[in-house]
């Protein structure tokens, strides 16, 4: 069985900027009807207008949602289903980050990071799964980080949230495989996005730590997401897209 994007309903949380935007674009170009979801409605509107112009199709939707709020997530998934139809693809790309030693982290920073990066993916997956299991079709892709696999000084909370996604991915994959629902994870390294802008400014030349010698591009992560969507015999896997950075950490 080959996964076909044409007319598939794809919800990308965190889909209006950075890696999420690149994923939204590629899913739309390959025929998916994409719901772009982020915290800010103006960002989603701008992205959806771009997708409609890019694909010459109107079947894309922009919604605002706070993924750290269970009720907001539930209502958003229902709206996607009511407007576009049965949800076949869920991508959890919403994320936040700050760099600090654990002793210097305040409670709000800790809670915001865990609530967005980990609880958000749990909430969205739970909301989307009921219909996926009923239809015996669906794919969930979580966007993690190489830091969640290898760890890094000054990123304890961020790494904890992303390593939690590893456990979620593998455990949920076991729970839903019998209903033909697959769950995988992409773990990017240093990617050229707004999230890494400060790092690139503060530590010029850090790309020398990467065996391939450069930052990755968001479109390269998007290609990996589509690879996992099309690879119908893969589930519970963590795919590192890091230019070999994990070999150096």
């Amino acid at each position: 069985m080959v996964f076909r994007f044409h007319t598939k309903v794809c919800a990308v949380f965190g889909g209006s900027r950075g890696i999420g935007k690149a994923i939204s674009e590629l899913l739309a170009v390959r025929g998916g009807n994409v719901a772009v979801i982020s915290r800010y409605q103006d960002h989603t509107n701008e992205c959806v207008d771009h997708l409609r112009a890019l694909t010459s199709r109107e079947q894309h939707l922009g919604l605002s949602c706070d993924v750290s709020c269970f009720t907001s997530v539930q209502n958003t998934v229902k709206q996607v289903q009511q407007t576009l139809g049965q949800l076949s693809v869920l991508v959890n790309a919403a994320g936040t980050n700050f760099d600090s030693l654990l002793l210097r982290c305040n409670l709000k920073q800790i809670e915001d990071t865990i609530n967005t990066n980990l609880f958000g993916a749990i909430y969205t997956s739970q909301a989307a799964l009921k219909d996926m299991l009923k239809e015996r079709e669906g794919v969930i892709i979580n966007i993690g980080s190489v830091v969640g696999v290898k760890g890094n000084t000054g990123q304890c909370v961020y790494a904890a949230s992303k390593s939690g996604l590893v456990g979620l991915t593998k455990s949920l994959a076991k729970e839903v495989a019998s209903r033909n629902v697959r769950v995988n994870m992409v773990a990017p390294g240093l990617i050229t996005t707004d999230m890494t802008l400060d790092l690139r400014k503060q530590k010029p030349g850090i790309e020398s730590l990467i065996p391939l010698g450069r930052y990755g591009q968001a479109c390269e992560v998007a290609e990996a997401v589509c690879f996992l969507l099309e690879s119908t015999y893969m589930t519970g896997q963590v795919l590192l897209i890091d230019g070999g950075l994990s070999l150096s950490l």
Side-chain angles (χ1 to χ4, degrees):
M1 181 178 66
V2 177
F3 182 90
R4 302 196 181 279
F5 291 89
H6 184 61
T7 73
K8 296 289 187 183
V9 177
C10 310
V12 185
F13 283 82
S16 67
R17 301 176 65 185
I19 290 173
K21 182 179 181 181
I23 294 168
S24 296
E25 289 178 350
L26 192 54
L27 291 175
V29 166
R30 296 195 179 184
N33 297 334
V34 180
V36 179
I37 304 160
S38 76
R39 188 182 294 268
Y40 304 107
Q41 186 67 56
D42 56 339
H43 291 168
T44 64
N45 291 343
E46 182 180 342
C47 185
V48 168
D49 288 343
H50 171 64
L51 296 187
R52 288 172 176 167
L54 188 66
T55 63
S56 299
R57 289 185 293 110
E58 293 296 313
Q59 293 90 342
H60 305 300
L61 178 67
L63 298 171
S64 62
C65 176
D66 177 3
V67 296
S68 68
C69 174
F70 178 80
T71 302
S72 179
V73 169
Q74 292 280 324
N75 291 337
T76 299
V77 170
K78 286 180 182 178
Q79 193 170 350
V80 172
Q81 294 167 332
Q82 290 169 356
T83 305
L84 296 181
Q86 167 59 35
L87 181 59
S88 295
V89 174
L90 169 65
V91 179
N92 288 312
T96 186
N97 181 35
F98 72 96
D99 293 341
S100 179
L101 297 174
L102 183 59
L103 286 176
R104 297 176 181 172
C105 297
N106 62 50
L107 182 58
K108 185 178 188 307
Q109 290 171 324
I110 294 171
E111 289 181 341
D112 285 351
T113 302
I114 300 296
N115 289 343
T116 298
N117 295 356
L118 180 56
F119 285 179
I122 292 173
Y123 295 158
T124 60
S125 297
Q126 188 181 59
L129 269 176
K130 184 176 181 180
D131 283 351
M132 287 184 175
L133 295 175
K134 181 180 178 181
E135 296 295 325
R136 292 181 175 268
E137 179 187 65
V139 188
I140 297 173
I141 305 290
N142 295 317
I143 306 300
S145 170
V146 64
V147 172
V149 178
K150 301 293 290 187
N152 194 36
T153 302
Q155 291 188 300
C156 284
V157 179
Y158 179 71
S161 70
K162 293 299 188 178
S163 63
L165 283 180
V166 176
L168 172 65
T169 298
K170 291 181 176 293
S171 298
L172 187 57
K174 289 184 177 182
E175 289 184 7
V176 299
S178 64
R179 294 297 185 93
N180 193 41
V181 177
R182 298 183 293 112
V183 188
N184 288 297
M185 176 174 162
V186 172
L190 291 172
I191 308 298
T192 304
T193 65
D194 290 346
M195 189 175 285
T196 61
L197 182 60
D198 288 343
L199 176 65
R200 286 179 279 133
K201 287 181 177 179
Q202 295 168 7
K203 296 184 178 181
I206 195 173
E207 62 267 26
S208 63
L209 298 176
I210 305 170
L212 286 183
R214 64 174 178 85
Y215 284 87
Q217 300 300 313
C219 61
E220 294 176 302
V221 181
E223 289 284 358
V225 169
C226 286
F227 166 75
L228 289 173
L229 290 175
E230 294 173 328
S231 300
T232 54
Y233 200 54
M234 288 182 69
T235 194
Q237 301 305 305
V238 177
L239 187 60
L240 289 167
I241 309 297
D242 67 349
L245 179 61
S246 56
L247 303 174
S248 305
L249 293 177

